[in-house]
Amino acid sequence: MAAKAPAFWFRRGFSAIVLLPVSWFFGLLAGARRFCYRKGLFFTKRLPAPVIIVGNIAVGGSGKTPVAEWLAGHLKAAGYTPGIVSRGYGGSSSGAAALVPPDGDPARYGDEPVLLARLTGCPVVIGRDRPGAAVELLRRHPECNVLIADDGMQHYRLGRDIEIAVVDAAVLGNRWLLPAGPLREPLARLRTVDLVIAHGDMAGIPASGNVPVFPMTLAGSHFYSLRHPAVSCEADALRGQRVHAVAGIGRPERFFGMLAAMGLEVVPHAFPDHHAYTASDLAFAPGEPKLMTSKDAVKCAAFAPDDAWEFPVRARIGPGAIERILEKLNDGRQTA
């Protein structure tokens, strides 16, 4: 279960300042590690298929999974056959590379890998060893000619051809490195990626040199019954009604705000990211609609009450983003 981010990560107060020396040491180690990989001092696994990293420089949810889904769909439309590798966080897998079935158990494989397998139809392989997972994916599915690494920015052992940083300004907090703040790498890291996708407030995204920044929003239009997936209703059908919003994601308040903006009277129920739900977690307010994200729904479908509904959303990313990615891939083909 993921712990809630400490409050001092979002301000430069006493607790954060006390930890600053540790953050400086963390930054030195992170910089030295990246330098060694870039200079070939540490081994990096290069694969016969290009690898696209979808990651972040901060701890916490920024919308990487919707971006991975969006990317897989556009790559398919462009004639590619993508595969996806993931850590499988939140699952009980022993760590060995494992192919994720679309109907797999999220408790075993992790909620996000199962969701990606269902939404994209792509082969998804999880494993603590990212290069090993990628090799296993290509062994099982040699037809895949491009790999998407979900949340792989800091896993430098896996060689990469394109890096996409998904950034939510709110998740950047006080802009300090761990443990004084939420950053895994300094803000300057954004100047080295191929493109930045800004989820939400563009004004809060730091300047990234010549790296293009594309806006992203998440949008949905229908609710789907967890007990009866063929049953749906338009989002407007619940306008003005009291609903219970259930979210175990990186930023549950974003989900609550989205529903409130649709005209719903929202009663929020926040859980930790990757929360392992049980039936008792949903045993409240019988008869009143319970709305949840797809990431939560994939874990609750087996025991959800009749009044539980999923609200699936899709990433909408500014024009030019996929064109830049395809251009980079085509350039790589020509130079290979």
Side-chain angles (χ1 to χ4, degrees):
M1 180 186 301
K4 184 178 180 180
F8 66 79
W9 277 4
F10 299 93
R11 59 179 181 270
R12 296 188 173 184
F14 178 76
S15 296
I17 292 172
V18 167
L19 291 171
L20 261 182
V22 186
S23 289
W24 296 334
F25 182 68
F26 177 86
L28 286 173
L29 289 179
R33 178 174 173 269
R34 182 165 180 265
F35 175 84
C36 289
Y37 275 109
R38 288 184 63 190
K39 297 299 183 180
L41 301 178
F42 291 168
F43 175 74
T44 296
K45 178 68 176 180
R46 302 295 306 188
L47 297 165
V51 173
I52 304 175
I53 298 290
V54 177
N56 190 8
I57 61 168
V59 175
S62 58
K64 295 181 295 294
T65 299
V67 171
E69 181 202 356
W70 168 88
L71 180 58
H74 280 282
L75 289 173
K76 283 185 173 183
Y80 286 91
T81 304
I84 300 173
V85 294
S86 174
R87 165 66 177 82
Y89 189 83
S92 62
S93 177
S94 64
L99 184 67
V100 180
D103 59 351
D105 182 1
R108 177 180 178 186
Y109 299 105
D111 44 25
E112 291 167 351
V114 171
L115 183 60
L116 283 171
R118 293 184 184 183
L119 293 177
T120 67
C122 296
V124 178
V125 171
I126 61 168
R128 292 178 184 173
D129 177 6
R130 300 296 177 92
V135 169
E136 178 66 8
L137 192 154
L138 292 177
R139 185 186 72 82
R140 288 175 175 255
H141 290 274
E143 73 279 8
C144 290
N145 53 13
V146 60
L147 300 183
I148 301 169
D150 181 32
D151 194 19
M153 188 74 76
Q154 288 76 39
H155 295 271
Y156 291 114
R157 286 184 56 237
L158 178 60
R160 66 278 312 271
D161 300 88
I162 299 173
E163 287 186 324
I164 301 172
V166 185
V167 181
D168 183 333
V171 175
L172 298 179
N174 59 17
R175 271 61 169 176
W176 283 349
L177 290 168
L178 291 165
L183 298 189
R184 297 169 176 168
E185 295 185 285
L187 294 175
R189 177 72 168 90
L190 296 178
R191 301 193 187 104
T192 69
V193 301
D194 294 284
L195 65 155
V196 172
I197 293 178
H199 187 185
D201 182 15
M202 291 278 288
I205 303 301
S208 303
N210 295 323
V211 177
V213 180
F214 299 94
M216 178 180 83
T217 58
L218 298 177
S221 60
H222 286 73
F223 299 112
Y224 293 84
S225 169
L226 266 69
R227 291 293 299 273
H228 310 284
V231 177
S232 67
C233 69
E234 293 187 1
D236 286 345
L238 298 182
R239 183 179 295 275
Q241 291 192 34
R242 174 186 170 94
V243 300
H244 294 263
V246 176
I249 57 178
R251 283 196 63 202
E253 63 276 9
R254 184 185 288 280
F255 179 62
F256 303 150
M258 182 185 301
L259 296 177
M262 294 160 53
L264 282 63
E265 181 187 342
V266 177
V267 180
H269 300 266
F271 291 87
D273 196 10
H274 302 287
H275 180 64
Y277 287 94
T278 63
S280 62
D281 291 326
L282 304 181
F284 57 83
E288 294 186 343
K290 300 166 182 61
L291 310 180
M292 63 186 69
T293 72
S294 295
K295 179 176 168 179
D296 298 303
V298 76
K299 293 179 286 189
C300 297
F303 51 78
D306 284 334
D307 53 7
W309 298 79
E310 173 187 356
F311 185 52
V313 295
R314 298 292 182 268
R316 295 179 178 175
I317 299 175
I322 191 60
E323 288 78 9
R324 179 172 177 83
I325 294 167
L326 293 175
E327 180 182 357
K328 296 279 291 185
L329 282 177
N330 291 332
D331 289 345
R333 278 180 168 180
Q334 293 170 8
T335 59

